[in-house]
Amino acid sequence: MSTWAAILAGGSGTRFWPLSTPERPKQLLPLNGDRPLLAQAVARLQGLVPPERILILTSAALVQPVAATVPEVPAANIFLEPRAASTAPALAWAAHWIAKHDPGGQMLSLHADWAIGDDRAFRAAASHALGVATEQDVLVTVGVKPTRNETAYGYIVPGKPAGSARKVKRFIEKPSPARAALLRRRGALWNSGLFAWSAARFLGEAGAYAEELAPGWSALTNGDAPRFFAAVTPVAVDVAVLERTPRLAVVTATFSWDDIGSWDALLRIRRRDARGNVTVGNVTLDDDVKNSVIWAENEEIAVGGIEDMVIVRANGHTLVMPTGRPDKLKALVQKL
């Protein structure tokens, strides 16, 4: 039985302005080391899924930079979404293609823009999820033990044991701080977005429960991706399929995981100096700078006397804002 991987690599990455641009969004940036996040995602699958069985789903505007970033993935495996319609249509499209070309094929779904602390543990969790998907003929989501009371993530409340996995009792999206703390104490997991299933089983569940995809289903089965994407309602796979199907299990991962949702995330995933700062590029600090992110793509930045700030100079623009307020950046980008 062959295993395929579908890597979701769309999105404009505005939360990392001014470093990110429409032509070079978050997944193509070296935010977690010296290689782009997409290149790390492909390398992370080594030994589990060969490059010729990796599909990358992205936008037409990104086909060239994606191909240049991961030349080991065949160009024919870079799928251009006719329009941005969230994850359910994209994964249904990928699953249909896999089922057609490799009946019985298994499928991993992952995102191109994660920071993973232990690649070996990631592969072990993915293999475990694939095993459960095969043995129980279910869709499997991988949960990660929370390390903080995060309000920007989705949570999974595990239910009764099901073999080496557990049933899913319910999903909770972006809870309040108090509820996040309660969920963490009660053993809820972060919904990592790493999924495993057979392509055929996923198509069966999506066809049965994803009503948002129903208007385009005949186009999908006929291989007409443009008509399929034009007919569907944009919807996340969690909402359209996972929250509705009874054929769902969760396995718990041991790797650390971060979806790198804002500049603040760099304080969690990159090495800090003795005063808690993350610096990239030609940066000079005095001793009073603490707990800040300073990123200089080309020019030099000199910073003194600040705490808890984000300062980024890239692409001819400069960003200065406090940490802990990613909402401010979204509003600023909208104004620009």
Side-chain angles (χ1 to χ4, degrees):
M1 185 180 295
S2 300
T3 299
W4 296 73
I7 301 180
L8 297 160
S12 57
T14 55
R15 288 175 292 183
F16 284 88
W17 186 89
L19 184 64
S20 64
T21 65
E23 300 78 25
R24 192 180 175 227
K26 177 173 73 166
Q27 59 272 28
L28 301 180
L29 298 175
L31 294 174
N32 186 34
D34 57 2
R35 292 187 300 162
L37 295 174
L38 173 59
Q40 293 179 354
V42 169
R44 193 171 292 126
L45 293 169
Q46 186 173 1
L48 187 62
V49 183
E52 61 270 20
R53 291 205 298 269
I54 295 175
L55 308 180
I56 299 177
L57 292 88
T58 190
S59 66
L62 296 180
V63 61
Q64 294 300 330
V66 163
T69 299
V70 285
E72 63 270 39
V73 175
N77 289 16
I78 301 174
F79 286 21
L80 310 183
E81 298 173 57
R83 72 166 174 140
S86 196
T87 56
L91 292 177
W93 183 30
H96 178 266
W97 190 95
I98 292 168
K100 180 180 178 181
H101 290 80
D102 184 11
Q106 292 181 301
M107 176 178 169
L108 286 173
S109 169
L110 59 152
H111 290 251
D113 54 3
W114 294 335
I116 302 296
D118 184 339
D119 287 357
R120 183 176 296 178
F122 176 90
R123 289 189 290 271
S127 296
H128 181 198
L130 287 165
V132 170
T134 300
E135 293 162 11
Q136 302 184 26
D137 193 20
V138 293
L139 312 183
V140 181
T141 179
V142 176
V144 175
K145 292 181 179 179
T147 56
R148 59 187 184 278
N149 302 330
E150 179 61 63
T151 60
Y153 292 170
Y155 287 71
I156 298 170
V157 178
K160 296 178 181 179
S164 61
R166 296 178 73 178
K167 297 289 188 181
V168 173
K169 192 171 183 179
R170 64 180 175 273
F171 291 86
I172 296 172
E173 190 66 23
K174 298 182 179 180
S176 66
R179 195 177 192 195
L182 180 63
L183 288 167
R184 186 179 171 194
R185 287 198 300 272
R186 291 183 174 177
L189 304 168
W190 282 337
N191 183 7
S192 71
L194 174 60
F195 306 130
W197 44 60
S198 75
R201 171 51 62 196
F202 176 76
L203 289 172
E205 299 309 290
Y209 296 102
E211 58 192 42
E212 298 87 350
L213 307 187
W217 203 257
S218 62
L220 178 67
T221 57
N222 290 330
D224 190 340
R227 275 188 56 225
F228 170 65
F229 275 83
V232 302
T233 299
V235 62
V237 70
D238 312 61
V239 173
V241 183
L242 302 186
E243 293 181 8
R244 297 170 181 168
T245 176
R247 287 181 173 272
L248 182 66
V250 60
V251 299
T252 302
T254 59
F255 57 83
S256 63
W257 168 87
D258 200 299
D259 80 345
I260 323 182
S262 68
W263 281 110
D264 292 17
L266 271 58
L267 293 169
R268 298 190 297 266
I269 66 172
R270 294 189 76 112
R271 185 183 301 276
R272 299 202 203 189
D273 67 18
R275 292 178 293 280
N277 302 302
V278 169
T279 61
V280 177
N282 194 355
V283 176
T284 301
L285 308 179
D286 72 11
D287 292 341
D288 294 328
V289 179
K290 299 176 182 177
N291 303 318
S292 295
V293 175
I294 301 98
W295 188 299
E297 186 171 40
N298 294 311
E299 301 164 277
E300 182 176 8
I301 295 180
V303 182
I306 65 164
E307 296 184 25
D308 305 312
M309 295 292 290
V310 173
I311 301 175
V312 182
R313 176 66 179 171
N315 296 311
H317 299 282
T318 302
L319 169 69
V320 180
M321 62 179 287
T323 57
R325 293 297 306 276
D327 55 308
K328 279 188 170 289
L329 179 55
K330 183 177 180 180
L332 277 171
V333 173
Q334 287 175 341
K335 284 184 178 181
L336 287 165

